Amino acid sequence: MDRWEYQTLKYKTGGWLGGKVDEQEFQNELNRFGYEGWELVSCFDTSVSQGASRDVIVVFKRKLQVG
């Protein structure tokens, strides 16, 4: 039976009212987790109003190495 561990990343988009995602910085963060063996499972924003997002929540998983 496979066993998994999970990791959550909260990526800040800006100030209190939200902001824009720096695409290159966000991609660098995703790649960093990928290089460590994490697989992206889900990604969603925390909307505040009128299309603005305060945070982007990213969920990763990777198989536990049972030894």
Side-chain angles (χ1 to χ4, degrees):
M1 174 172 76
D2 290 335
R3 294 181 148 187
W4 303 93
E5 64 178 325
Y6 295 88
Q7 179 71 34
T8 303
L9 166 68
K10 182 188 280 188
Y11 182 82
K12 299 283 187 190
T13 61
W16 175 252
L17 296 176
K20 295 183 179 180
V21 172
D22 180 326
E23 292 179 39
Q24 187 61 52
E25 183 180 310
F26 188 63
Q27 181 174 315
N28 290 343
E29 284 291 308
L30 295 177
N31 283 330
R32 182 174 64 86
F33 278 88
Y35 290 135
E36 294 176 5
W38 294 99
E39 178 182 359
L40 179 66
V41 175
S42 181
C43 183
F44 56 93
D45 70 325
T46 56
S47 299
V48 286
S49 68
Q50 300 176 347
S53 299
R54 187 172 302 146
D55 302 307
V56 176
I57 308 297
V58 185
V59 181
F60 299 93
K61 75 175 184 179
R62 71 178 171 189
K63 193 179 290 189
L64 282 172
Q65 301 300 320
V66 180

